[in-house]
Amino acid sequence: DLQSPFLREITFELETPDVVGLQGLDWARIDAELSKREFIGITVRFYVNCDSWTRGSKIEDEIREDITNKLPGFKDRGTLRVSCI
């Protein structure tokens, strides 16, 4: 369990060349944890290490949309930022 009155941000760093690479994570559990009352108002950042040709492309948009759609409970309670790096 992660609890702190001073917690403002949680950062995830992932490496994947495409949306399929995101399927291995337990998104339901991540969403359930981030949707808890103690995380209301927090910022969650996903830095996705994509291939250099992916940045700025349609695939980057697909990755951003896929992560957002996998966290329906959290997106109404906090701020979600997804970036390909």
Side-chain angles (χ1 to χ4, degrees), residues 1-69:
D1 287 341
L2 183 62
Q3 296 182 9
S4 170
F6 305 107
L7 186 64
R8 301 277 187 253
E9 181 175 304
I10 297 174
T11 301
F12 292 85
E13 293 186 25
L14 309 171
E15 186 168 341
T16 183
D18 54 29
V19 175
V20 176
L22 300 173
Q23 303 307 319
L25 296 173
D26 186 349
W27 290 102
R29 184 171 179 197
I30 293 170
D31 188 49
E33 290 298 319
L34 293 176
S35 296
K36 290 182 177 178
R37 185 178 54 85
E38 55 263 33
F39 296 122
I40 291 174
I42 198 167
T43 297
V44 173
R45 295 183 188 277
F46 280 87
Y47 292 111
V48 183
N49 188 358
C50 307
D51 290 336
S52 59
W53 57 268
T54 302
R55 278 182 246 127
S57 72
K58 182 180 175 192
I59 294 173
E60 182 177 352
D61 293 337
E62 289 174 0
I63 289 171
R64 184 176 289 110
E65 182 179 342
D66 192 57
I67 291 174
T68 300
N69 290 338

